Amino acid sequence: MAIGNEPPQLLKQHLQYRGRKFDFEVNRLRLPNQSEGEWECIRHPGGALAVPVTPEGKLVLVKQYRFAVQGRLLEFPAGTVELNESPAETIRREIEEETGYRAHKWQKLGEFFLAPGYSDEIIYAFLAQELELLEKPLSQDDDEDIETVLLTPQELEQAILEGEPVDAKSISSFFLAKPFLT
């Protein structure tokens, strides 16, 4: 993304925490408009997401337990971009781990900031087509509690509009993919 050409001036770094998936920092900054203050920021390497579509036109989603919201969310398969890995490599691995499908046709849908008020995380969204169900799916990560769900685009849209728990990155990516769904 062509962004990041107006960095604030770092006046003082107060706190920096390095986590497993992201870093957290609190800094005293001077913004381009000369306003000064303390801001918290999550520094994230980015995430890759797939909107997988079966040959029958069904969307492959996962119902995943998320400890932060203390429940299960309906989501498209996604994962954190690992060091020395491109977003395309990340999502090719994640779709197999999370759903047991392999895609043979990929198209980039776009990229977007997830929560720019407090994080620099970018989601790289892809359309995954020509899916093949793997005979021996890859094993999931130990902390993953995932169930695969197949929905038509109409069923997913209805779930979103009825307020079912669907995460924001999946809603955004679904609407990026809609023009390509039959």
Side-chain angles (χ1 to χ4, degrees), residues 50-62 76-77 95 99-106 126-134 148-155 174 177 180-182:
V51 177
V53 185
T54 68
E56 301 77 34
K58 295 244 182 162
L59 302 172
V60 181
L61 295 105
V62 295
F76 284 117
I95 192 175
T99 69
Y101 283 93
R102 176 176 292 141
H104 295 285
K105 182 180 176 186
W106 291 90
F126 297 87
L127 182 65
Q129 297 173 299
E130 297 180 11
L131 299 185
E132 162 194 6
L133 187 58
L134 299 174
T148 303
V149 177
L150 298 177
L151 297 175
T152 66
Q154 297 77 17
E155 289 169 332
F174 172 63
F180 304 101
L181 304 176
T182 54

Side-chain angles (χ1 to χ4, degrees), residues 104-171:
H104 295 285
K105 182 180 176 186
W106 291 90
Q107 179 178 337
K108 187 170 183 183
L109 292 172
E111 51 194 58
F112 52 89
F113 288 101
L114 193 57
Y118 58 83
S119 175
D120 65 354
E121 182 177 4
I122 295 175
I123 298 296
Y124 301 90
F126 297 87
L127 182 65
Q129 297 173 299
E130 297 180 11
L131 299 185
E132 162 194 6
L133 187 58
L134 299 174
E135 283 185 36
K136 286 189 164 194
L138 300 176
S139 57
Q140 296 177 355
D141 294 338
D142 289 339
D143 64 342
E144 291 180 320
D145 181 354
I146 296 175
E147 170 193 350
T148 303
V149 177
L150 298 177
L151 297 175
T152 66
Q154 297 77 17
E155 289 169 332
L156 177 57
E157 188 164 352
Q158 183 173 352
I160 292 167
L161 295 173
E162 289 178 356
E164 298 241 359
V166 181
D167 75 324
K169 71 184 183 312
S170 297
I171 294 170

Side-chain angles (χ1 to χ4, degrees), residues 33-121:
N33 70 359
Q34 302 306 304
S35 175
E36 290 184 19
E38 291 191 11
W39 282 275
E40 303 87 12
C41 185
I42 293 172
R43 299 292 181 192
H44 193 284
L49 175 146
V51 177
V53 185
T54 68
E56 301 77 34
K58 295 244 182 162
L59 302 172
V60 181
L61 295 105
V62 295
K63 191 170 272 196
Q64 184 165 357
Y65 180 79
R66 296 296 191 174
F67 74 91
V69 298
Q70 302 174 28
R72 297 171 193 284
L73 297 177
L74 195 57
E75 308 176 26
F76 284 117
T80 301
V81 177
E82 303 291 340
L83 188 63
N84 299 318
E85 187 177 60
S86 71
E89 291 168 324
T90 297
I91 196 53
R92 281 180 170 79
R93 172 179 47 79
E94 288 289 340
I95 192 175
E96 292 183 20
E97 286 176 9
E98 292 188 0
T99 69
Y101 283 93
R102 176 176 292 141
H104 295 285
K105 182 180 176 186
W106 291 90
Q107 179 178 337
K108 187 170 183 183
L109 292 172
E111 51 194 58
F112 52 89
F113 288 101
L114 193 57
Y118 58 83
S119 175
D120 65 354
E121 182 177 4

